[in-house]
Amino acid sequence: LGDCIRISDHGVRNIVDGPSGPQIRELNLTNCLRVGDTTLFRIAQRCQSLAYVSFCYSEFVTDAGVELLGNMQALRSLDLSGCAVGDAGLASLGNNPNFRNISLSECNQITDVGIQKMCSRLLLLETLDISYCVNVTDYATKFLAFSCRELVRLNIAGCTQLTDTSVSYISGGCHYLSHLNMSNITNMTDKALRFLRRGCKSYRD
């Protein structure tokens, strides 16, 4: 259903409430601009086998809906890029320790508090995208790096408040990291690359 911009909560409900609803494992609602928290409510009720879901740029998805997703223990991968999600929503995602991949790119309401609460409980997370979350600082990456030690891919591009200190934390805690996107962060210097080379032996340029 990705890019079906005229699909609404009512349309998705017809699928979710159908006989195959409990067996749905993947659902792509990227750019379904009319989909919101009502859909998340029905998904949380009906789709307990769901392993992957994307609400990327669904602007009516908020913390109220995201809080329900944290209780879906089968869910492994979640994309909330560009959604109106804040710290309360992130904290609720920590209720599901089975998450492996989460994308929160351009979620501008997110702060260090939300990152801390989420990451402190997602110890098995392998991929995280917080690119262009402009309120995130070095304080957040400290908790991220020393909680999510299994991270393999991390995207912090455009997080303009981050400095070399963040990369120091990441290289100190995320030894399995092979991909790190830190483009468009003007505070980064050569020191950040030295930290990476020293701490992340699997890192690829």
Side-chain angles (χ1 to χ4, degrees), residues 76-95:
R76 298 293 186 272
S77 298
L78 175 64
D79 191 343
L80 294 170
S81 299
C83 294
V85 179
D87 293 337
L90 261 63
S92 68
L93 294 180
N95 293 330

Side-chain angles (χ1 to χ4, degrees), residues 11 14 26 46 52-53 66 69 71 74-75 84 105 164 183 190 200:
N14 288 328
E26 296 188 7
R46 293 276 300 161
Y52 164 84
V53 64
V66 173
L69 300 180
N71 297 318
L75 201 56
S105 179
D164 293 336
S183 56
D190 291 345
C200 299

Side-chain angles (χ1 to χ4, degrees), residues 102-119:
I102 294 180
S103 180
L104 302 164
S105 179
E106 299 180 50
C107 293
N108 294 324
Q109 299 179 35
I110 290 173
T111 72
D112 296 345
V113 174
I115 296 291
Q116 177 188 351
K117 290 182 177 180
M118 180 184 74
C119 290

Side-chain angles (χ1 to χ4, degrees), residues 2-205:
D3 296 319
C4 294
I5 61 174
R6 300 185 67 178
I7 293 288
S8 67
D9 289 325
H10 179 73
V12 177
R13 182 169 184 167
N14 288 328
I15 297 173
V16 171
D17 285 355
S20 62
Q23 282 76 51
I24 295 174
R25 291 188 53 80
E26 296 188 7
L27 189 57
N28 183 0
L29 296 172
T30 297
N31 288 326
C32 292
L33 306 180
R34 299 171 64 185
V35 168
D37 291 336
T38 301
T39 287
L40 274 70
F41 178 75
R42 296 304 297 168
I43 287 173
Q45 284 189 321
R46 293 276 300 161
C47 304
Q48 290 304 312
S49 298
L50 195 65
Y52 164 84
V53 64
S54 172
F55 298 103
C56 185
Y57 299 112
S58 298
E59 58 189 41
F60 295 115
V61 170
T62 70
D63 285 344
V66 173
E67 287 175 4
L68 302 171
L69 300 180
N71 297 318
M72 300 182 65
Q73 297 301 304
L75 201 56
R76 298 293 186 272
S77 298
L78 175 64
D79 191 343
L80 294 170
S81 299
C83 294
V85 179
D87 293 337
L90 261 63
S92 68
L93 294 180
N95 293 330
N96 178 5
N98 299 315
F99 273 120
R100 297 296 187 273
N101 310 292
I102 294 180
S103 180
L104 302 164
S105 179
E106 299 180 50
C107 293
N108 294 324
Q109 299 179 35
I110 290 173
T111 72
D112 296 345
V113 174
I115 296 291
Q116 177 188 351
K117 290 182 177 180
M118 180 184 74
C119 290
S120 64
R121 302 171 71 182
L122 300 185
L123 306 184
L124 300 178
L125 200 63
E126 297 174 357
T127 302
L128 179 63
D129 184 350
I130 55 171
S131 58
Y132 298 94
C133 293
V134 295
N135 294 315
V136 170
T137 74
D138 293 334
Y139 184 77
T141 55
K142 179 179 181 179
F143 283 94
L144 183 161
F146 293 104
S147 296
C148 305
R149 292 179 176 269
E150 302 296 317
L151 275 178
V152 177
R153 306 179 71 95
L154 177 62
N155 190 345
I156 55 174
C159 295
T160 52
Q161 296 193 54
L162 300 187
T163 69
D164 293 336
T165 301
S166 280
V167 182
S168 174
Y169 294 142
I170 292 166
S171 63
C174 302
H175 298 299
Y176 299 108
L177 197 71
S178 61
H179 294 83
L180 175 64
N181 187 344
M182 53 183 184
S183 56
N184 295 323
I185 305 178
T186 57
N187 293 326
M188 295 292 183
T189 70
D190 291 345
K191 188 183 295 185
L193 300 179
R194 289 197 294 270
F195 287 140
L196 276 179
R197 184 176 58 186
R198 188 182 312 138
C200 299
K201 302 302 182 183
S202 301
Y203 176 70
R204 305 170 190 170
D205 292 330

